[in-house]
Amino acid sequence: MNTLIGYDLVPEAKIVDSALRACRRLNDMASAIRILEAVQDKAGPHKEIYPYLIQELQPTLSELGVSTPEQLGMDKL
C-alpha cells in the first residue's frame, strides 16, 4: 500500500476495499484508518474524490466495522 500511495494517483475504490479487507483479516484497524487517511491526503485539493470513495466504500466499512477518520474526530486535529 505504501508503494501505491507513493504514486501520483488516488487508488480506486476496489483497491482500497481489498486493502481494508486485508487489514480486517489481520485485525489491524489502525492500519485501515491510516489507509483512509492516506487516500484522503492523496485526494488533496480535489474535494470531490474523497467523499466519492467513502460513498463507494460505505458498504465495506459497515460490514467490517471500520470507522472513517471523520467519524473518529481525527479531522478536527
Side-chain angles (χ1 to χ4, degrees), residues 3-48:
T3 303
L4 185 62
I5 294 298
Y7 294 135
D8 190 27
L9 55 87
V10 178
E12 289 184 44
K14 64 183 178 180
I15 294 171
V16 178
D17 181 278
S18 296
L20 293 174
R21 290 182 185 279
C23 289
R24 185 64 182 133
R25 279 193 303 272
L26 296 172
N27 202 22
D28 189 2
M29 291 297 107
S31 290
I33 294 168
R34 276 190 226 116
I35 288 170
L36 292 174
E37 287 179 315
V39 168
Q40 183 179 22
D41 186 52
K42 287 305 284 188
H46 306 287
K47 301 296 182 198
E48 66 280 353

